[in-house]
Amino acid sequence: MPDTSGSTGRTPETHVIDFRAAEQLLAARDPRGAVKLLDDVIAAHPENTAARLLRARAFFAAAQLRPAELEFSIVLEREPDNAFAHFALARTYERLSRPDQAKRHFRLAAALDPNPEYLKAARFDS
């Protein structure tokens, strides 16, 4: 049987464990540790949008804004109706001092999901 787990010799089950551990690391405010675990998961499963979204969140939490922007953008290419990804990308643009792009994605997030936080950020009244 061929090894489809990538060059690391890791199994799909190991990738699930790494994904769950990365969630825990991010919750425990260790975003860099989360990114390290997710790098292997995404290398083996580049199509895994959930892993990419988690890695984007970890990059954002680690103030690695350009990689966060890239990952959130990849998620939105695959899931253009993902309100959270629009909101998080808007926050990333806000931190990158790109207010016009931030406003656009805040408004898209609010249009997709009337979450009070999204609506407030969208500032439809201005």
Side-chain angles (χ1 to χ4, degrees), residues 19-86:
F19 179 86
R20 297 293 177 216
E23 288 179 317
Q24 296 300 316
L25 286 172
L26 188 57
R29 300 188 191 286
D30 181 4
R32 284 182 169 78
V35 167
K36 285 180 187 173
L37 286 176
L38 292 165
D39 285 346
D40 283 342
V41 174
I42 292 169
H45 306 282
E47 75 292 344
N48 188 315
T49 304
R52 287 194 176 275
L53 185 58
L54 186 59
R55 185 163 70 170
R57 291 176 48 218
F59 279 136
F60 182 86
Q64 295 179 15
L65 301 178
R66 298 272 187 224
E69 175 189 6
L70 175 63
E71 289 294 339
F72 285 129
S73 296
I74 290 169
V75 168
L76 287 170
E77 284 174 13
R78 297 172 183 181
E79 296 179 2
D81 60 345
N82 186 321
F84 174 79
H86 280 290

Side-chain angles (χ1 to χ4, degrees), residues 103-122:
K103 183 177 183 179
R104 176 178 181 271
H105 285 280
F106 279 136
R107 289 185 172 186
L108 284 166
L112 291 165
D113 179 355
N115 174 316
E117 187 178 10
Y118 299 172
L119 290 169
K120 181 180 177 187

Side-chain angles (χ1 to χ4, degrees), residues 3 10 13 15-16 22 26 34 38 44 47 51 56 67 94 96 102 110 113 121:
D3 179 11
R10 300 178 66 79
E13 294 80 13
H15 294 137
V16 171
L26 188 57
L38 292 165
E47 75 292 344
E94 201 172 52
L96 287 166
D113 179 355

